[in-house]
Amino acid sequence: MRIARFSVDDEPRYGVVETDDPEGLTGTVSVLDSDPLYRPVQFTGEKLQLADVRLLAPVIPRSKVVCVGRNYAAHAEELGNDVPAEPLIFLKPNTSVIGPRDGIVYPEQTNNLHFEGELAIVIGRICRDLPKERVNEVIFGYTIANDVTARDLQKLDGQWARAKGYDTFCPLGPWITTELDVSDLRVSTQVNGEPKQDGRTSQFIFGIPEVLAYITSFTTLLPGDVVLTGTPAGVGPMLPGDEVAISVEGIGTLTNKVIVRD
């Protein structure tokens, strides 16, 4: 099931998407009566054309976006970093989240803004000290993320809060896919149609069970929290005017354009 968050007249609503278009520009959305994260799926009977709605970020995390750094060996190597001995965790604020086709703002404080395409996990239940064998019980579904990073600020600051945390630095979308085997999915990125990243989730250093068990060993995950699982090799700069399209097999394509704030 593909669950989208969308608007028609500026009021966020939820629906189940039916489409063959990876970006959801064509097809239909069957409207739900409420947020399915908190209530069972119940259709209103209304069906809309996707061309007539605006897809929003499929979830706004209640508290946080938790990210795994350097979870692909080739990505760690391309930046001159060692492979971590345990999951390398950092946070993005929920104010960094935007949706499909929203603009990624290029801050004036950076001269080296990078894309990082990733598979993202949407948490469906409160969890703490989660055993690895029970992770599927707390996963609501999966979406696509761009872990936008000001690479020069990341190096300058010595920690990643500013470099990863600007408003618009966490595009999510185009929807949540609730039933998916994520053991070996292709994760790819194009900038202006040119291939940049091409990896597979089977290349994770730390798999999803290990990641969620590790995160919940020190912090509670809440329904709607999002976990970014790491990016393949091939990250690089993006400039104002560039269009970045991130695809994850079995989910779709998340597209955003880089802009300069007026």
Side-chain angles (χ1 to χ4, degrees), residues 154-221:
Q154 185 181 26
K155 294 178 181 178
L156 177 66
D157 292 351
Q159 50 80 29
W160 302 357
R162 182 167 66 134
K164 301 274 194 177
Y166 279 89
D167 291 358
T168 77
F169 273 25
C170 190
L172 297 175
W175 42 65
I176 299 168
T177 299
T178 58
E179 296 178 11
L180 188 64
D181 179 357
V182 298
S183 59
D184 186 31
L185 299 179
R186 184 183 185 192
V187 180
S188 59
T189 301
Q190 294 186 347
V191 178
N192 301 325
E194 181 180 350
K196 297 293 185 179
Q197 293 183 283
D198 196 352
R200 305 196 69 87
T201 56
S202 56
Q203 298 168 331
F204 284 156
I205 297 169
F206 303 103
I208 288 173
E210 290 78 15
V211 163
L212 292 186
Y214 184 82
I215 291 169
T216 61
S217 71
F218 66 86
T219 190
T220 299
L221 291 174

Side-chain angles (χ1 to χ4, degrees), residues 97-116:
V97 172
I98 58 173
R101 298 285 170 181
D102 289 341
I104 299 169
V105 176
Y106 199 114
E108 62 181 12
Q109 295 91 344
T110 183
N111 293 305
N112 193 15
L113 193 66
H114 279 209
F115 56 83
E116 295 190 8

Side-chain angles (χ1 to χ4, degrees), residues 18-200:
E18 298 174 19
T19 182
D20 294 323
D21 183 345
E23 295 186 66
L25 300 178
T26 61
T28 62
V29 56
S30 299
V31 181
L32 301 176
D33 67 349
S34 61
D35 185 347
L37 262 171
Y38 303 106
R39 289 183 59 186
V41 169
Q42 183 69 44
F43 293 97
T44 66
E46 184 180 7
K47 182 173 285 192
L48 304 172
Q49 295 297 313
L50 282 170
D52 296 330
V53 310
R54 177 190 172 199
L55 290 177
L56 307 173
V59 61
I60 299 296
R62 182 188 289 183
S63 64
K64 55 193 172 295
V65 179
V66 187
C67 309
V68 185
R70 303 172 191 165
N71 202 23
Y72 288 78
H75 171 59
E77 181 180 352
E78 72 179 344
L79 296 182
N81 297 310
D82 295 331
V83 173
E86 58 185 8
L88 177 60
I89 304 299
F90 60 94
L91 303 178
K92 281 179 176 279
N94 57 12
T95 49
S96 67
V97 172
I98 58 173
R101 298 285 170 181
D102 289 341
I104 299 169
V105 176
Y106 199 114
E108 62 181 12
Q109 295 91 344
T110 183
N111 293 305
N112 193 15
L113 193 66
H114 279 209
F115 56 83
E116 295 190 8
E118 309 197 11
L119 172 72
I121 305 164
V122 180
I123 299 300
R125 293 174 56 185
I126 295 175
C127 49
R128 176 70 198 269
D129 294 323
L130 182 67
K132 288 188 288 187
E133 61 272 13
R134 298 187 63 185
V135 297
N136 288 336
E137 298 177 22
V138 306
I139 295 174
F140 180 75
Y142 302 89
T143 190
I144 304 170
N146 187 350
D147 176 19
V148 178
T149 305
R151 197 69 70 195
D152 47 355
L153 301 184
Q154 185 181 26
K155 294 178 181 178
L156 177 66
D157 292 351
Q159 50 80 29
W160 302 357
R162 182 167 66 134
K164 301 274 194 177
Y166 279 89
D167 291 358
T168 77
F169 273 25
C170 190
L172 297 175
W175 42 65
I176 299 168
T177 299
T178 58
E179 296 178 11
L180 188 64
D181 179 357
V182 298
S183 59
D184 186 31
L185 299 179
R186 184 183 185 192
V187 180
S188 59
T189 301
Q190 294 186 347
V191 178
N192 301 325
E194 181 180 350
K196 297 293 185 179
Q197 293 183 283
D198 196 352
R200 305 196 69 87

